[in-house]
PDB file of all heavy atoms in Angstrom:
ATOM      1  N   ALA A   1      -2.187 -11.074 -46.771  1.00 93.00           N
ATOM      2  CA  ALA A   1      -2.742 -10.307 -45.657  1.00 93.00           C
ATOM      3  C   ALA A   1      -2.092 -10.667 -44.325  1.00 93.00           C
ATOM      4  O   ALA A   1      -2.118  -9.875 -43.382  1.00 93.00           O
ATOM      5  CB  ALA A   1      -4.251 -10.538 -45.581  1.00 93.00           C
ATOM      6  N   GLU A   2      -1.502 -11.852 -44.240  1.00 95.00           N
ATOM      7  CA  GLU A   2      -0.825 -12.281 -43.021  1.00 95.00           C
ATOM      8  C   GLU A   2       0.669 -11.971 -43.038  1.00 95.00           C
ATOM      9  O   GLU A   2       1.393 -12.329 -42.108  1.00 95.00           O
ATOM     10  CB  GLU A   2      -1.037 -13.782 -42.816  1.00 95.00           C
ATOM     11  CG  GLU A   2      -2.503 -14.160 -42.629  1.00 95.00           C
ATOM     12  CD  GLU A   2      -2.683 -15.651 -42.493  1.00 95.00           C
ATOM     13  OE1 GLU A   2      -1.707 -16.403 -42.693  1.00 95.00           O
ATOM     14  OE2 GLU A   2      -3.804 -16.082 -42.188  1.00 95.00           O
ATOM     15  N   GLY A   3       1.130 -11.335 -44.113  1.00 95.00           N
ATOM     16  CA  GLY A   3       2.542 -11.003 -44.228  1.00 95.00           C
ATOM     17  C   GLY A   3       3.397 -12.123 -44.772  1.00 95.00           C
ATOM     18  O   GLY A   3       4.632 -12.028 -44.772  1.00 95.00           O
ATOM     19  N   LYS A   4       2.765 -13.180 -45.264  1.00 97.00           N
ATOM     20  CA  LYS A   4       3.510 -14.310 -45.811  1.00 97.00           C
ATOM     21  C   LYS A   4       3.858 -14.062 -47.284  1.00 97.00           C
ATOM     22  O   LYS A   4       3.096 -13.412 -48.005  1.00 97.00           O
ATOM     23  CB  LYS A   4       2.689 -15.595 -45.683  1.00 97.00           C
ATOM     24  CG  LYS A   4       2.418 -16.005 -44.250  1.00 97.00           C
ATOM     25  CD  LYS A   4       1.586 -17.276 -44.193  1.00 97.00           C
ATOM     26  CE  LYS A   4       1.315 -17.701 -42.760  1.00 97.00           C
ATOM     27  NZ  LYS A   4       0.483 -18.927 -42.691  1.00 97.00           N
ATOM     28  N   PRO A   5       5.009 -14.569 -47.750  1.00 97.00           N
ATOM     29  CA  PRO A   5       5.423 -14.326 -49.136  1.00 97.00           C
ATOM     30  C   PRO A   5       4.513 -14.989 -50.150  1.00 97.00           C
ATOM     31  O   PRO A   5       4.037 -16.117 -49.941  1.00 97.00           O
ATOM     32  CB  PRO A   5       6.839 -14.919 -49.189  1.00 97.00           C
ATOM     33  CG  PRO A   5       6.874 -15.930 -48.092  1.00 97.00           C
ATOM     34  CD  PRO A   5       6.003 -15.382 -47.005  1.00 97.00           C
ATOM     35  N   ILE A   6       4.263 -14.285 -51.238  1.00 97.00           N
ATOM     36  CA  ILE A   6       3.476 -14.821 -52.356  1.00 97.00           C
ATOM     37  C   ILE A   6       4.152 -14.417 -53.663  1.00 97.00           C
ATOM     38  O   ILE A   6       4.927 -13.464 -53.708  1.00 97.00           O
ATOM     39  CB  ILE A   6       2.017 -14.289 -52.344  1.00 97.00           C
ATOM     40  CG1 ILE A   6       1.992 -12.758 -52.395  1.00 97.00           C
ATOM     41  CG2 ILE A   6       1.256 -14.811 -51.134  1.00 97.00           C
ATOM     42  CD1 ILE A   6       0.600 -12.171 -52.558  1.00 97.00           C
ATOM     43  N   PRO A   7       3.883 -15.145 -54.744  1.00 97.00           N
ATOM     44  CA  PRO A   7       4.447 -14.765 -56.043  1.00 97.00           C
ATOM     45  C   PRO A   7       3.938 -13.395 -56.493  1.00 97.00           C
ATOM     46  O   PRO A   7       2.790 -13.036 -56.227  1.00 97.00           O
ATOM     47  CB  PRO A   7       3.944 -15.874 -56.979  1.00 97.00           C
ATOM     48  CG  PRO A   7       3.629 -17.030 -56.086  1.00 97.00           C
ATOM     49  CD  PRO A   7       3.136 -16.410 -54.811  1.00 97.00           C
ATOM     50  N   TRP A   8       4.777 -12.683 -57.209  1.00 97.00           N
ATOM     51  CA  TRP A   8       4.382 -11.378 -57.748  1.00 97.00           C
ATOM     52  C   TRP A   8       3.712 -11.593 -59.104  1.00 97.00           C
ATOM     53  O   TRP A   8       4.218 -11.208 -60.142  1.00 97.00           O
ATOM     54  CB  TRP A   8       5.602 -10.472 -57.850  1.00 97.00           C
ATOM     55  CG  TRP A   8       5.262  -9.017 -58.003  1.00 97.00           C
ATOM     56  CD1 TRP A   8       4.037  -8.446 -57.959  1.00 97.00           C
ATOM     57  CD2 TRP A   8       6.188  -7.942 -58.218  1.00 97.00           C
ATOM     58  NE1 TRP A   8       4.108  -7.088 -58.134  1.00 97.00           N
ATOM     59  CE2 TRP A   8       5.429  -6.752 -58.298  1.00 97.00           C
ATOM     60  CE3 TRP A   8       7.575  -7.883 -58.343  1.00 97.00           C
ATOM     61  CZ2 TRP A   8       6.021  -5.514 -58.510  1.00 97.00           C
ATOM     62  CZ3 TRP A   8       8.156  -6.645 -58.550  1.00 97.00           C
ATOM     63  CH2 TRP A   8       7.394  -5.472 -58.644  1.00 97.00           C
ATOM     64  N   ILE A   9       2.552 -12.255 -59.059  1.00 98.00           N
ATOM     65  CA  ILE A   9       1.741 -12.510 -60.236  1.00 98.00           C
ATOM     66  C   ILE A   9       0.338 -11.991 -59.953  1.00 98.00           C
ATOM     67  O   ILE A   9       0.055 -11.497 -58.859  1.00 98.00           O
ATOM     68  CB  ILE A   9       1.695 -14.013 -60.583  1.00 98.00           C
ATOM     69  CG1 ILE A   9       1.104 -14.823 -59.415  1.00 98.00           C
ATOM     70  CG2 ILE A   9       3.103 -14.525 -60.934  1.00 98.00           C
ATOM     71  CD1 ILE A   9       0.959 -16.311 -59.687  1.00 98.00           C
ATOM     72  N   THR A  10      -0.571 -12.100 -60.898  1.00 98.00           N
ATOM     73  CA  THR A  10      -1.918 -11.596 -60.664  1.00 98.00           C
ATOM     74  C   THR A  10      -2.615 -12.419 -59.583  1.00 98.00           C
ATOM     75  O   THR A  10      -2.425 -13.636 -59.473  1.00 98.00           O
ATOM     76  CB  THR A  10      -2.764 -11.625 -61.946  1.00 98.00           C
ATOM     77  OG1 THR A  10      -2.943 -12.982 -62.381  1.00 98.00           O
ATOM     78  CG2 THR A  10      -2.110 -10.818 -63.055  1.00 98.00           C
ATOM     79  N   TYR A  11      -3.430 -11.756 -58.798  1.00 97.00           N
ATOM     80  CA  TYR A  11      -4.161 -12.447 -57.740  1.00 97.00           C
ATOM     81  C   TYR A  11      -5.085 -13.545 -58.285  1.00 97.00           C
ATOM     82  O   TYR A  11      -5.187 -14.615 -57.661  1.00 97.00           O
ATOM     83  CB  TYR A  11      -4.967 -11.448 -56.913  1.00 97.00           C
ATOM     84  CG  TYR A  11      -4.114 -10.599 -55.991  1.00 97.00           C
ATOM     85  CD1 TYR A  11      -4.002  -9.227 -56.183  1.00 97.00           C
ATOM     86  CD2 TYR A  11      -3.430 -11.171 -54.925  1.00 97.00           C
ATOM     87  CE1 TYR A  11      -3.230  -8.447 -55.329  1.00 97.00           C
ATOM     88  CE2 TYR A  11      -2.655 -10.395 -54.066  1.00 97.00           C
ATOM     89  CZ  TYR A  11      -2.558  -9.035 -54.286  1.00 97.00           C
ATOM     90  OH  TYR A  11      -1.778  -8.262 -53.435  1.00 97.00           O
ATOM     91  N   PRO A  12      -5.767 -13.345 -59.417  1.00 97.00           N
ATOM     92  CA  PRO A  12      -6.589 -14.441 -59.942  1.00 97.00           C
ATOM     93  C   PRO A  12      -5.788 -15.704 -60.252  1.00 97.00           C
ATOM     94  O   PRO A  12      -6.241 -16.814 -59.978  1.00 97.00           O
ATOM     95  CB  PRO A  12      -7.207 -13.831 -61.210  1.00 97.00           C
ATOM     96  CG  PRO A  12      -7.243 -12.373 -60.944  1.00 97.00           C
ATOM     97  CD  PRO A  12      -5.994 -12.085 -60.168  1.00 97.00           C
ATOM     98  N   CYS A  13      -4.585 -15.546 -60.797  1.00 98.00           N
ATOM     99  CA  CYS A  13      -3.753 -16.707 -61.081  1.00 98.00           C
ATOM    100  C   CYS A  13      -3.291 -17.375 -59.790  1.00 98.00           C
ATOM    101  O   CYS A  13      -3.277 -18.610 -59.679  1.00 98.00           O
ATOM    102  CB  CYS A  13      -2.551 -16.316 -61.932  1.00 98.00           C
ATOM    103  SG  CYS A  13      -1.553 -17.727 -62.487  1.00 98.00           S
ATOM    104  N   LEU A  14      -2.939 -16.580 -58.813  1.00 98.00           N
ATOM    105  CA  LEU A  14      -2.502 -17.119 -57.532  1.00 98.00           C
ATOM    106  C   LEU A  14      -3.622 -17.931 -56.881  1.00 98.00           C
ATOM    107  O   LEU A  14      -3.384 -19.034 -56.360  1.00 98.00           O
ATOM    108  CB  LEU A  14      -2.066 -15.983 -56.612  1.00 98.00           C
ATOM    109  CG  LEU A  14      -1.576 -16.382 -55.220  1.00 98.00           C
ATOM    110  CD1 LEU A  14      -0.378 -17.305 -55.308  1.00 98.00           C
ATOM    111  CD2 LEU A  14      -1.234 -15.127 -54.411  1.00 98.00           C
ATOM    112  N   SER A  15      -4.832 -17.421 -56.919  1.00 97.00           N
ATOM    113  CA  SER A  15      -5.970 -18.136 -56.355  1.00 97.00           C
ATOM    114  C   SER A  15      -6.195 -19.459 -57.078  1.00 97.00           C
ATOM    115  O   SER A  15      -6.525 -20.478 -56.446  1.00 97.00           O
ATOM    116  CB  SER A  15      -7.237 -17.274 -56.443  1.00 97.00           C
ATOM    117  OG  SER A  15      -7.109 -16.103 -55.673  1.00 97.00           O
ATOM    118  N   PHE A  16      -6.015 -19.439 -58.376  1.00 98.00           N
ATOM    119  CA  PHE A  16      -6.183 -20.651 -59.183  1.00 98.00           C
ATOM    120  C   PHE A  16      -5.148 -21.708 -58.799  1.00 98.00           C
ATOM    121  O   PHE A  16      -5.457 -22.891 -58.658  1.00 98.00           O
ATOM    122  CB  PHE A  16      -6.046 -20.288 -60.661  1.00 98.00           C
ATOM    123  CG  PHE A  16      -6.173 -21.453 -61.594  1.00 98.00           C
ATOM    124  CD1 PHE A  16      -7.420 -21.922 -61.977  1.00 98.00           C
ATOM    125  CD2 PHE A  16      -5.040 -22.073 -62.109  1.00 98.00           C
ATOM    126  CE1 PHE A  16      -7.533 -23.005 -62.838  1.00 98.00           C
ATOM    127  CE2 PHE A  16      -5.149 -23.147 -62.972  1.00 98.00           C
ATOM    128  CZ  PHE A  16      -6.396 -23.615 -63.342  1.00 98.00           C
ATOM    129  N   LEU A  17      -3.909 -21.279 -58.606  1.00 98.00           N
ATOM    130  CA  LEU A  17      -2.832 -22.217 -58.306  1.00 98.00           C
ATOM    131  C   LEU A  17      -2.957 -22.850 -56.925  1.00 98.00           C
ATOM    132  O   LEU A  17      -2.584 -24.010 -56.721  1.00 98.00           O
ATOM    133  CB  LEU A  17      -1.481 -21.514 -58.423  1.00 98.00           C
ATOM    134  CG  LEU A  17      -1.016 -21.120 -59.817  1.00 98.00           C
ATOM    135  CD1 LEU A  17       0.235 -20.255 -59.725  1.00 98.00           C
ATOM    136  CD2 LEU A  17      -0.732 -22.358 -60.665  1.00 98.00           C
ATOM    137  N   LYS A  18      -3.458 -22.104 -55.962  1.00 96.00           N
ATOM    138  CA  LYS A  18      -3.464 -22.551 -54.572  1.00 96.00           C
ATOM    139  C   LYS A  18      -4.094 -23.925 -54.395  1.00 96.00           C
ATOM    140  O   LYS A  18      -3.595 -24.749 -53.617  1.00 96.00           O
ATOM    141  CB  LYS A  18      -4.203 -21.531 -53.697  1.00 96.00           C
ATOM    142  CG  LYS A  18      -3.407 -20.280 -53.385  1.00 96.00           C
ATOM    143  CD  LYS A  18      -4.222 -19.332 -52.522  1.00 96.00           C
ATOM    144  CE  LYS A  18      -3.446 -18.073 -52.179  1.00 96.00           C
ATOM    145  NZ  LYS A  18      -4.263 -17.120 -51.384  1.00 96.00           N
ATOM    146  N   SER A  19      -5.180 -24.189 -55.088  1.00 93.00           N
ATOM    147  CA  SER A  19      -5.898 -25.446 -54.887  1.00 93.00           C
ATOM    148  C   SER A  19      -5.419 -26.556 -55.822  1.00 93.00           C
ATOM    149  O   SER A  19      -5.896 -27.692 -55.724  1.00 93.00           O
ATOM    150  CB  SER A  19      -7.404 -25.224 -55.099  1.00 93.00           C
ATOM    151  OG  SER A  19      -7.658 -24.800 -56.428  1.00 93.00           O
ATOM    152  N   ARG A  20      -4.469 -26.258 -56.712  1.00 97.00           N
ATOM    153  CA  ARG A  20      -4.068 -27.238 -57.720  1.00 97.00           C
ATOM    154  C   ARG A  20      -2.618 -27.689 -57.607  1.00 97.00           C
ATOM    155  O   ARG A  20      -2.245 -28.720 -58.163  1.00 97.00           O
ATOM    156  CB  ARG A  20      -4.319 -26.661 -59.115  1.00 97.00           C
ATOM    157  CG  ARG A  20      -5.813 -26.438 -59.369  1.00 97.00           C
ATOM    158  CD  ARG A  20      -6.091 -25.692 -60.656  1.00 97.00           C
ATOM    159  NE  ARG A  20      -7.501 -25.400 -60.791  1.00 97.00           N
ATOM    160  CZ  ARG A  20      -8.325 -26.031 -61.639  1.00 97.00           C
ATOM    161  NH1 ARG A  20      -7.851 -26.989 -62.420  1.00 97.00           N
ATOM    162  NH2 ARG A  20      -9.596 -25.714 -61.706  1.00 97.00           N
ATOM    163  N   VAL A  21      -1.817 -26.928 -56.901  1.00 98.00           N
ATOM    164  CA  VAL A  21      -0.419 -27.307 -56.709  1.00 98.00           C
ATOM    165  C   VAL A  21      -0.348 -28.402 -55.646  1.00 98.00           C
ATOM    166  O   VAL A  21      -1.019 -28.330 -54.617  1.00 98.00           O
ATOM    167  CB  VAL A  21       0.409 -26.080 -56.267  1.00 98.00           C
ATOM    168  CG1 VAL A  21       1.816 -26.485 -55.869  1.00 98.00           C
ATOM    169  CG2 VAL A  21       0.456 -25.054 -57.388  1.00 98.00           C
ATOM    170  N   THR A  22       0.482 -29.438 -55.897  1.00 97.00           N
ATOM    171  CA  THR A  22       0.592 -30.540 -54.954  1.00 97.00           C
ATOM    172  C   THR A  22       2.043 -30.720 -54.499  1.00 97.00           C
ATOM    173  O   THR A  22       2.988 -30.257 -55.156  1.00 97.00           O
ATOM    174  CB  THR A  22       0.110 -31.858 -55.581  1.00 97.00           C
ATOM    175  OG1 THR A  22       1.057 -32.300 -56.565  1.00 97.00           O
ATOM    176  CG2 THR A  22      -1.260 -31.675 -56.225  1.00 97.00           C
ATOM    177  N   SER A  23       2.208 -31.437 -53.412  1.00 97.00           N
ATOM    178  CA  SER A  23       3.532 -31.646 -52.818  1.00 97.00           C
ATOM    179  C   SER A  23       4.418 -32.568 -53.649  1.00 97.00           C
ATOM    180  O   SER A  23       5.619 -32.669 -53.393  1.00 97.00           O
ATOM    181  CB  SER A  23       3.389 -32.218 -51.398  1.00 97.00           C
ATOM    182  OG  SER A  23       2.693 -33.457 -51.436  1.00 97.00           O
ATOM    183  N   LYS A  24       3.862 -33.243 -54.638  1.00 96.00           N
ATOM    184  CA  LYS A  24       4.646 -34.136 -55.492  1.00 96.00           C
ATOM    185  C   LYS A  24       5.319 -33.396 -56.651  1.00 96.00           C
ATOM    186  O   LYS A  24       6.156 -33.962 -57.349  1.00 96.00           O
ATOM    187  CB  LYS A  24       3.753 -35.246 -56.044  1.00 96.00           C
ATOM    188  CG  LYS A  24       3.182 -36.166 -54.980  1.00 96.00           C
ATOM    189  CD  LYS A  24       2.328 -37.241 -55.596  1.00 96.00           C
ATOM    190  CE  LYS A  24       1.757 -38.167 -54.528  1.00 96.00           C
ATOM    191  NZ  LYS A  24       0.903 -39.231 -55.115  1.00 96.00           N
ATOM    192  N   MET A  25       4.966 -32.156 -56.847  1.00 98.00           N
ATOM    193  CA  MET A  25       5.454 -31.401 -58.001  1.00 98.00           C
ATOM    194  C   MET A  25       6.879 -30.897 -57.798  1.00 98.00           C
ATOM    195  O   MET A  25       7.335 -30.696 -56.671  1.00 98.00           O
ATOM    196  CB  MET A  25       4.540 -30.212 -58.282  1.00 98.00           C
ATOM    197  CG  MET A  25       3.165 -30.581 -58.761  1.00 98.00           C
ATOM    198  SD  MET A  25       2.171 -29.097 -59.074  1.00 98.00           S
ATOM    199  CE  MET A  25       0.662 -29.838 -59.707  1.00 98.00           C
ATOM    200  N   GLU A  26       7.559 -30.675 -58.925  1.00 98.00           N
ATOM    201  CA  GLU A  26       8.843 -29.974 -58.945  1.00 98.00           C
ATOM    202  C   GLU A  26       8.699 -28.763 -59.858  1.00 98.00           C
ATOM    203  O   GLU A  26       8.043 -28.826 -60.903  1.00 98.00           O
ATOM    204  CB  GLU A  26       9.968 -30.887 -59.430  1.00 98.00           C
ATOM    205  CG  GLU A  26      10.236 -32.048 -58.488  1.00 98.00           C
ATOM    206  CD  GLU A  26      11.534 -32.764 -58.796  1.00 98.00           C
ATOM    207  OE1 GLU A  26      12.438 -32.143 -59.403  1.00 98.00           O
ATOM    208  OE2 GLU A  26      11.657 -33.940 -58.429  1.00 98.00           O
ATOM    209  N   VAL A  27       9.328 -27.665 -59.460  1.00 98.00           N
ATOM    210  CA  VAL A  27       9.136 -26.374 -60.140  1.00 98.00           C
ATOM    211  C   VAL A  27      10.485 -25.771 -60.497  1.00 98.00           C
ATOM    212  O   VAL A  27      11.438 -25.839 -59.701  1.00 98.00           O
ATOM    213  CB  VAL A  27       8.338 -25.402 -59.243  1.00 98.00           C
ATOM    214  CG1 VAL A  27       8.267 -24.010 -59.870  1.00 98.00           C
ATOM    215  CG2 VAL A  27       6.931 -25.944 -58.984  1.00 98.00           C
ATOM    216  N   PHE A  28      10.547 -25.168 -61.668  1.00 98.00           N
ATOM    217  CA  PHE A  28      11.721 -24.391 -62.080  1.00 98.00           C
ATOM    218  C   PHE A  28      11.286 -22.940 -62.252  1.00 98.00           C
ATOM    219  O   PHE A  28      10.244 -22.657 -62.843  1.00 98.00           O
ATOM    220  CB  PHE A  28      12.296 -24.907 -63.399  1.00 98.00           C
ATOM    221  CG  PHE A  28      13.582 -24.226 -63.803  1.00 98.00           C
ATOM    222  CD1 PHE A  28      14.806 -24.823 -63.530  1.00 98.00           C
ATOM    223  CD2 PHE A  28      13.571 -22.991 -64.444  1.00 98.00           C
ATOM    224  CE1 PHE A  28      15.999 -24.200 -63.885  1.00 98.00           C
ATOM    225  CE2 PHE A  28      14.754 -22.353 -64.798  1.00 98.00           C
ATOM    226  CZ  PHE A  28      15.965 -22.962 -64.530  1.00 98.00           C
ATOM    227  N   GLU A  29      12.112 -22.030 -61.751  1.00 98.00           N
ATOM    228  CA  GLU A  29      11.834 -20.602 -61.886  1.00 98.00           C
ATOM    229  C   GLU A  29      12.991 -19.872 -62.545  1.00 98.00           C
ATOM    230  O   GLU A  29      14.147 -20.037 -62.137  1.00 98.00           O
ATOM    231  CB  GLU A  29      11.627 -19.961 -60.516  1.00 98.00           C
ATOM    232  CG  GLU A  29      10.336 -20.221 -59.822  1.00 98.00           C
ATOM    233  CD  GLU A  29      10.205 -19.319 -58.603  1.00 98.00           C
ATOM    234  OE1 GLU A  29      11.005 -19.460 -57.657  1.00 98.00           O
ATOM    235  OE2 GLU A  29       9.313 -18.454 -58.601  1.00 98.00           O
ATOM    236  N   PHE A  30      12.691 -19.063 -63.526  1.00 98.00           N
ATOM    237  CA  PHE A  30      13.625 -18.049 -64.002  1.00 98.00           C
ATOM    238  C   PHE A  30      13.324 -16.776 -63.217  1.00 98.00           C
ATOM    239  O   PHE A  30      12.292 -16.141 -63.393  1.00 98.00           O
ATOM    240  CB  PHE A  30      13.453 -17.796 -65.501  1.00 98.00           C
ATOM    241  CG  PHE A  30      14.043 -18.862 -66.368  1.00 98.00           C
ATOM    242  CD1 PHE A  30      13.224 -19.791 -67.000  1.00 98.00           C
ATOM    243  CD2 PHE A  30      15.418 -18.939 -66.579  1.00 98.00           C
ATOM    244  CE1 PHE A  30      13.765 -20.774 -67.819  1.00 98.00           C
ATOM    245  CE2 PHE A  30      15.964 -19.926 -67.383  1.00 98.00           C
ATOM    246  CZ  PHE A  30      15.138 -20.849 -68.004  1.00 98.00           C
TER     247      PHE A  30
END
């Protein structure tokens, strides 16, 4: 809603991830 980029995944999954992802993690994307 603020124009910031978000993953093109379902909104329920995005909401779930927001509170569980931490700064110590490393991520790989295809």
Side-chain angles (χ1 to χ4, degrees):
E2 298 177 352
K4 296 179 180 179
I6 58 173
W8 197 5
I9 60 177
T10 64
Y11 286 114
C13 186
L14 180 60
S15 297
F16 179 82
L17 290 172
K18 284 180 179 178
S19 62
R20 295 172 185 254
V21 172
T22 71
S23 60
K24 296 181 180 180
M25 292 180 177
E26 295 193 24
V27 174
F28 185 98
E29 285 190 295
F30 284 104

